[in-house]
Amino acid sequence: MNLYVSNLGFNFQTEELATLFMEYGAVSSAKVIVDKFTNRSKGFGFVEMPNQQEAEKAINELNGREVDGRSINVSEARPPRENTRYSNRY
DNA sequence: ACTGAGCGC
């Protein structure tokens, strides 16, 4: 399950994100989007968790949680294209 | 390129 984490602090890094989510379950991959020019965090990232139960638990526990003085927002990322009707691929 | 809505290369 892919997770989208936003409202992160600019000092938040990928390893911090991985460590945070591994507390609630297995994390296959985690990445914080970083600006190419400034090498600073853009304030959001992605976490992939193979176990859906742990993923949902991580969402419930980490969504709205205060990290680095800010309340982070955790939700499902890049929802599966179930609705191909609304996804136009030309 | 130094900040605050957003979806990765």
Side-chain angles (χ1 to χ4, degrees), chain A residues 14-29:
Chain A
T14 296
E15 42 185 27
E16 299 292 329
L17 185 65
T19 304
L20 184 64
F21 277 81
M22 283 192 301
E23 296 178 2
Y24 297 94
V27 175
S28 58
S29 68

Side-chain angles (χ1 to χ4, degrees), chain A residues 15-76:
Chain A
E15 42 185 27
E16 299 292 329
L17 185 65
T19 304
L20 184 64
F21 277 81
M22 283 192 301
E23 296 178 2
Y24 297 94
V27 175
S28 58
S29 68
K31 183 170 69 175
V32 171
I33 308 306
V34 177
D35 188 74
K36 330 173 192 58
F37 303 104
T38 62
N39 287 331
R40 305 298 180 191
S41 172
K42 281 190 176 181
F44 69 94
F46 295 91
V47 177
E48 184 176 358
M49 300 183 72
N51 196 329
Q52 186 173 355
Q53 308 177 33
E54 296 177 346
E56 292 180 352
K57 181 173 59 179
I59 293 178
N60 293 324
E61 294 294 332
L62 295 176
N63 186 25
R65 218 51 181 174
E66 182 176 324
V67 177
D68 194 46
R70 286 191 172 270
S71 201
I72 67 175
N73 179 267
V74 182
S75 61
E76 184 178 359

